[in-house]
Amino acid sequence: ETGVTQSPTHLIKTRGQQVTLRCSSQSGHNTVSWYQQALGQGPQFIFQYYREEENGRGNFPPRFSGLQFPNYSSELNVNALELDDSALYLCAITLKDRFPYGYTFGSGTRLTVV
Amino acid sequence: EDQVTQSPEALRLQEGESSSLNCSYTVSGLRGLFWYRQDPGKGPEFLFTLYSAGEEKEKERLKATLTKKESFLHITAPKPEDSATYLCAVQARYNQGGKLIFGQGTELSVKP
């Protein structure tokens, strides 16, 4: 049990639609990051939030956006879905007062765009 | 450009047959190198963090080592339950927002 919960576990959307993925943790965390993992590839960094503000972003277009809430939950929003957005989306947190910064991942949301 | 390359892409072992996985990296100042295990359909599970060349860490049948250009994950006398994809990632000292750069992974299969 990682203590990081993602929902939903699976999702099917149509091209052009919008989707919201959610992440929450059982305990306080410093940062929350989102990653996209295509089949057979390593995870790719989308962005990171710290104290409810984005403080780092990978090579993803603005239609990928996020939010971090005071209650240790976070959202990833993707607008105008494309077929290539089909992937496993992972949320990762760093736990409070734990140095080095071990990143704890959730089990992910499998998004399929048709 | 910061980059991580893992080899081999896939590795098949017999139970008890020891081997090593390689992670070569290029990074503008290493803050940390991470090893993760990932089972199918699951998120990565943290194994080790290494910070400086010469550092070694062990956990059960796994031992991770680090040099200035690469890291090795040694698996001693593996068991079928060690079958998984092993991911290596680096964090650069000066990158923004704690970004981890992952390799593509090594898929390990251990047959009884």
Side-chain angles (χ1 to χ4, degrees), chain A residues 35 37 42 48 55 100-101 103 106, chain B residues 31 36 38 51 91 97-98 100:
Chain A
Y35 287 79
Q37 187 176 23
Q48 176 171 284
N55 76 330
Y101 301 107
Y103 292 80
Chain B
R31 184 177 189 184
Y36 284 87
Q38 187 174 28
Y51 294 99
Q91 186 178 44
L100 292 180

Side-chain angles (χ1 to χ4, degrees), chain A residues 30 32 49-54 66-71 73:
Chain A
N30 289 335
V32 60
Y49 278 79
Y50 175 67
R51 293 184 177 178
E52 302 167 39
E53 291 192 2
E54 183 181 304
L67 289 171
Q68 182 186 22
F69 302 102
N71 65 348
S73 65

Side-chain angles (χ1 to χ4, degrees), chain A residues 10-73:
Chain A
H10 296 84
L11 197 56
I12 299 175
K13 287 287 190 178
T14 302
R15 187 172 52 183
Q17 285 188 316
Q18 178 267 343
V19 68
T20 297
L21 310 182
R22 295 180 172 84
C23 171
S24 63
S25 68
Q26 296 176 345
S27 58
H29 57 262
N30 289 335
T31 68
V32 60
S33 306
W34 286 89
Y35 287 79
Q36 180 195 68
Q37 187 176 23
L39 203 61
Q41 300 297 316
Q44 297 289 316
F45 177 75
I46 302 175
F47 45 58
Q48 176 171 284
Y49 278 79
Y50 175 67
R51 293 184 177 178
E52 302 167 39
E53 291 192 2
E54 183 181 304
N55 76 330
R57 190 175 186 94
N59 295 325
F60 282 81
R63 60 189 185 83
F64 286 78
S65 63
L67 289 171
Q68 182 186 22
F69 302 102
N71 65 348
Y72 306 123
S73 65

Side-chain angles (χ1 to χ4, degrees), chain A residues 2-4 6 33 35 43 90-93 103-108, chain B residues 36 43-46 100 102:
Chain A
T2 67
V4 180
Q6 291 190 241
S33 306
Y35 287 79
L90 297 162
C91 163
I93 65 169
Y103 292 80
T104 301
F105 283 83
S107 291
Chain B
Y36 284 87
E45 176 188 347
F46 174 76
L100 292 180
F102 281 87

